[in-house]
Amino acid sequence: MPSAISINSEDVLLAIDLQADFMPGGALAVDRGDEIVSLVNRLARRFEQVVVTQDWHPAGHVSFASSHEGAQSFETRRLAYGDQTLWPEHCVQGTRGAALHPDLAVDCAFLILRKGMHAGIDSYSAFVEADGKTTTGLGALLKARGVRRVFACVLATDYCVAHSALDARADGFATFVIEDACRAIDTNNSLSEAWAKMNAAEVWRIPSAEILG
């Protein structure tokens, strides 16, 4: 069966945070996150333009529960830029946990974008950091390369994928989330809330078969 979406040079695949600490057994594991590496690779080979993102936190990052006296992982604290979920230490620069999955076809990517590098600001999105104003520069780069459509996938649907998709849409790109090429954390109704926000923003939810046929 032919694919429903024809991919061309104006499209980019955004493969988000396929890293060791988000794999089963990692510091912030996403259930079954390791199952979709081969699917992401198949998708990447359909695109002329691919961006891979990598969480890349300095030690003592503000988003870590260990950086706040008496804090527990997964609680929310009010920080200078807004409410912040506090996480277990993960994807610390230069550690094994920060490494991209060894089977990921990174040679398909023209860019590996490292995010979350500012010690005092978290960064779920590949486009804008958690303060809502510090840009990664990705939007401008994609526009300079003629991109009109962003296809987002990987980890995690309800956090970095959703934030990236919403910011891509806000930056004027037609935006799609490839649902079966993602996995979610889904705590406290986070997945349904993320989809509600994406639906309201006209981020389109598609299966990989729409691209792969």
Side-chain angles (χ1 to χ4, degrees), residues 8-204:
N8 59 50
S9 62
E10 295 181 342
D11 300 322
V12 67
L13 181 71
L14 183 59
I16 297 169
D17 298 357
L18 199 61
Q19 294 169 261
D21 269 343
F22 299 130
M23 297 293 106
L28 190 53
V30 180
D31 188 38
R32 301 186 300 125
D34 55 337
E35 294 179 358
I36 49 176
V37 179
S38 61
L39 175 57
V40 173
N41 288 343
R42 288 175 61 205
L43 287 163
R45 294 185 182 104
R46 289 293 181 96
F47 286 78
E48 294 181 34
Q49 305 207 61
V50 177
V51 173
V52 168
T53 75
Q54 190 173 16
D55 237 14
W56 197 248
H57 298 306
H61 192 263
V62 72
S63 70
F64 297 162
S66 58
S67 299
H68 304 268
E69 186 175 355
Q72 300 295 318
S73 294
F74 307 110
E75 73 174 69
T76 300
R77 287 283 179 99
R78 186 74 176 178
L79 302 183
Y81 55 82
D83 289 340
Q84 172 67 52
T85 300
L86 300 182
W87 304 106
E89 292 184 17
H90 66 281
C91 298
V92 175
Q93 295 175 10
T95 65
R96 291 183 179 180
L100 293 166
H101 194 287
D103 295 333
L104 180 64
V106 292
D107 287 349
C108 292
F110 76 85
L111 174 68
I112 297 174
L113 176 73
R114 287 174 167 169
K115 60 187 180 66
M117 296 180 68
H118 296 293
I121 311 173
D122 204 7
S123 186
Y124 299 122
S125 171
F127 292 86
V128 182
E129 301 202 16
D131 61 357
K133 59 185 180 182
T134 303
T135 177
T136 66
L138 180 59
L141 176 59
L142 294 181
K143 289 175 182 178
R145 294 176 65 94
V147 170
R148 294 180 179 273
R149 298 192 297 186
V150 172
F151 293 80
C153 63
V154 187
L155 308 174
T157 317
D158 39 346
Y159 285 94
C160 294
V161 173
H163 282 266
S164 297
L166 289 166
D167 285 342
R169 189 73 190 97
D171 209 10
F173 298 99
T175 306
F176 303 78
V177 170
I178 309 169
E179 186 174 14
D180 57 323
C182 300
R183 292 289 184 269
I185 295 174
D186 198 14
T187 57
N188 300 319
N189 212 35
S190 59
L191 183 59
S192 62
E193 290 177 1
W195 278 121
K197 290 177 182 177
M198 289 190 282
N199 290 339
E202 296 186 340
V203 171
W204 305 109

